[in-house]
Amino acid sequence: AVVSTQSTGEMIRMVKHWRNGILWKDQFHRPSSLLLSLLVIGAHEGLVKEGISNLLITPESLLHRLTDMIQRKQEVRLEWGTFYNETTRSMFPMKKCPVVRNPANPSD
């Protein structure tokens, strides 16, 4: 699924702005831009898998999905199989959730 909707880009910018406006305990607790982007993309893809058209995905629906994912963080598993196969997954096992794999670098 191609994720290039305006709503997704807006949501990525919005969650980064939210992140930048918080005084984090330390750098370790501050979510990276990559993590936030992957979570928003995962939220978008989840809506598409449920049959919602790209044209009907709004920033509000993305925010709702994203907050739901964060609230259920122990169940989050985001992987993009296009960029790695079962051999790659076995090289970098991640059986416990939450899991968010970087599609460009599954060992990341």
Side-chain angles (χ1 to χ4, degrees):
V2 175
V3 180
S4 61
T5 67
Q6 186 176 353
S7 294
T8 303
E10 289 172 9
M11 181 58 58
I12 289 171
R13 283 187 294 281
M14 188 169 80
V15 296
K16 287 179 183 179
H17 179 74
W18 161 81
R19 186 241 0 241
N20 293 340
I22 292 180
L23 182 59
W24 296 92
K25 179 179 175 180
D26 54 42
Q27 195 65 19
F28 176 77
H29 289 89
R30 181 180 186 267
S32 71
S33 293
L34 176 61
L35 175 60
L36 293 174
S37 297
L38 293 176
L39 286 170
V40 172
I41 291 167
H44 179 276
E45 288 186 352
L47 291 170
V48 170
K49 286 179 184 174
E50 289 176 1
I52 299 173
S53 165
N54 276 326
L55 298 174
L56 299 176
I57 295 175
T58 63
E60 293 81 11
S61 62
L62 269 173
L63 182 59
H64 185 279
R65 173 57 85 116
L66 182 62
T67 55
D68 183 57
M69 288 170 59
I70 292 168
Q71 288 173 350
R72 297 181 303 114
K73 66 181 176 273
Q74 298 309 325
E75 302 170 26
V76 171
R77 180 173 282 277
L78 294 176
E79 298 180 289
W80 287 269
T82 304
F83 299 99
Y84 43 84
N85 55 32
E86 289 303 318
T87 305
T88 308
R89 283 190 183 129
S90 65
M91 290 169 53
F92 310 106
M94 297 176 107
K95 295 181 182 175
K96 278 183 68 176
C97 288
V99 172
V100 180
R101 284 196 201 251
N102 179 348
N105 182 2
S107 65
D108 197 10

